[in-house]
């Protein structure tokens, strides 16, 4: 079995029917790229998980136990590791049981296919992200907005069926991210990325890129993205994804993006060619 389920320190065969993660999305998750059975960015992922748990007032399981189970499950492989932590079971209704032990699940998944070196095509999504500062930045389990956005181009008759990712705006119209990645644009010689103080996820790879490039946070509109000198997406599973096409705009592979991908491969061996 490629998943292990625990409530507190006790292993179970299934998730409880009244688990609040299932009922309400009351939980958090991390999706990590493992290299040879270990997770190079484990500490960063756990720090974000801990920050989210503090925000939601969920008591995390012991970090040492989670990592031990994760490494055992990975069995030395290159893979994707997913960790879900929910508030656990708490009866019917929205009021949480603050004393319930958390449910946590580690699961192992195949690596995604490699993206073309020349870059990917993206499109604009019609689905907007709600503005909710209390949930902004954390990776909570309710991702229905992203699900709806990603479903927009499952139809082969869609306007842009070639797109492999979609860019999302907030309900107020500013550009925030892709459905499953953060966004960076190069303008006037400087890298910029949208802030995640009102919606969006503070990505682990995003944090690395900001440190590596000195990128600044700035609210961006559609025109500023479409007229940028270079655009890329990033996340902790696929690394840096250069954007080659967005609507009628096409970008050649920018040398700064090539250099940044090389630096990422040095920082995380899972992204080495």
């Amino acid at each position: 079995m490629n998943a292990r389920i625990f409530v507190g320190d006790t292993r179970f065969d299934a998730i409880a029917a009244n688990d609040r993660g299932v009922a309400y999305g009351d939980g958090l998750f991390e999706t990590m790229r493992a290299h040879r059975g270990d997770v190079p960015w484990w500490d960063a992922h756990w720090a974000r998980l801990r920050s989210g748990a503090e925000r939601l007032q969920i008591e995390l399981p012991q970090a040492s136990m989670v990592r031990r189970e994760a490494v055992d499950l990975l069995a030395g492989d290159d893979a994707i590791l997913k960790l879900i932590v929910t508030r656990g079971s708490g009866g019917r209704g929205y009021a949480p049981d603050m004393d319930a032990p958390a449910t946590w699940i580690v699961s192992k998944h195949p690596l995604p296919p490699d993206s073309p070196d020349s870059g990917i095509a993206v499109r604009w999504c019609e689905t907007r992200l709600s503005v909710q500062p209390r949930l902004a930045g954390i990776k909570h389990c309710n991702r229905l907005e992203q699900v709806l956005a990603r479903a927009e181009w499952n139809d082969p008759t869609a306007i842009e069926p070639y797109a492999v990712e979609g860019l999302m705006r907030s309900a107020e119209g500013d550009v925030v991210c892709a459905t499953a990645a953060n966004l960076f644009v190069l303008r006037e010689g400087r890298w910029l990325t949208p802030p995640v103080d009102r919606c969006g996820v503070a990505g682990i790879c995003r944090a690395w890129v900001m440190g590596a490039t000195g990128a600044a946070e700035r609210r961006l509109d559609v025109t500023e993205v479409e007229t940028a000198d270079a655009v890329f997406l990033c996340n902790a599973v696929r690394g840096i994804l250069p954007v080659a096409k967005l609507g009628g705009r096409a970008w050649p592979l920018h040398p700064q993006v090539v250099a940044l991908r090389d630096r990422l491969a040095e920082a995380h061996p899972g992204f080495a060619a």
Side-chain angles (χ1 to χ4, degrees):
M1 183 178 182
N2 285 330
R4 298 179 184 183
I5 304 166
F6 293 82
V7 176
D9 296 339
T10 305
R11 187 169 175 178
F12 284 78
D13 293 328
I15 301 170
N18 63 344
D19 187 273
R20 292 181 63 86
V22 175
Y24 308 120
D26 190 359
L28 302 154
F29 71 101
E30 294 288 332
T31 310
M32 300 164 268
R33 189 173 184 118
H35 176 68
R36 297 181 181 176
D38 196 16
V39 180
W41 283 349
W42 174 271
D43 290 343
H45 282 284
W46 189 264
R48 181 175 63 179
L49 185 72
R50 184 174 60 246
S51 176
E54 290 172 355
R55 188 104 57 96
L56 298 183
Q57 299 181 61
I58 295 175
E59 185 172 351
L60 290 180
Q62 293 182 3
S64 58
M65 182 179 182
V66 177
R67 186 159 194 178
R68 183 171 63 250
E69 292 292 338
V71 170
D72 189 53
L73 180 65
L74 288 168
D77 290 339
D78 293 344
I80 301 305
L81 179 74
K82 186 166 186 176
L83 168 62
I84 301 173
V85 180
T86 82
R87 198 181 301 276
S89 301
R92 212 188 77 78
Y94 292 137
D97 179 354
M98 306 304 287
D99 297 322
T103 298
W104 55 280
I105 306 157
V106 286
S107 57
K108 174 182 170 181
H109 309 271
L111 291 174
D114 292 335
S115 298
D117 290 337
S118 58
I120 62 171
V122 302
R123 54 165 287 160
W124 292 108
C125 297
E126 293 299 322
T127 305
R128 301 294 183 94
L129 291 166
S130 302
V131 173
Q132 176 47 271
R134 292 193 66 183
L135 297 176
I138 66 175
K139 202 158 186 179
H140 57 80
C141 286
N142 194 318
R143 294 288 140 191
L144 283 176
E145 293 167 332
Q146 287 80 1
V147 170
L148 291 174
R150 183 58 187 86
E152 290 179 19
W153 72 96
N154 280 344
D155 184 350
T157 64
I159 296 173
E160 296 171 294
Y162 60 81
V164 299
E165 249 292 9
L167 302 184
M168 300 187 71
R169 290 156 285 182
S170 75
E172 297 175 348
D174 53 304
V175 182
V176 179
C177 58
T179 65
N182 290 113
L183 169 72
F184 285 80
V185 302
L186 183 65
R187 294 187 61 85
E188 298 178 351
R190 187 169 191 188
W191 288 105
L192 304 171
T193 189
V196 289
D197 56 338
R198 299 187 300 173
C199 53
V201 174
I204 301 302
C205 194
R206 173 184 185 268
W208 180 89
V209 170
M210 292 185 72
T213 63
E217 290 185 320
R218 201 183 87 187
R219 301 204 192 283
L220 300 170
D221 60 30
V222 169
T223 300
E224 288 176 306
V225 175
E226 293 180 338
T227 60
D229 297 319
V231 179
F232 70 82
L233 309 180
C234 70
N235 66 27
V237 167
R238 304 187 70 183
I240 292 172
L241 301 171
V243 172
K245 186 172 177 59
L246 171 60
R249 178 69 196 272
W251 288 272
L253 190 59
H254 198 282
Q256 286 194 39
V257 178
V258 174
L260 194 60
R261 293 179 90 180
D262 290 341
R263 291 178 64 186
L264 178 61
E266 295 174 0
H268 189 310
F271 296 119

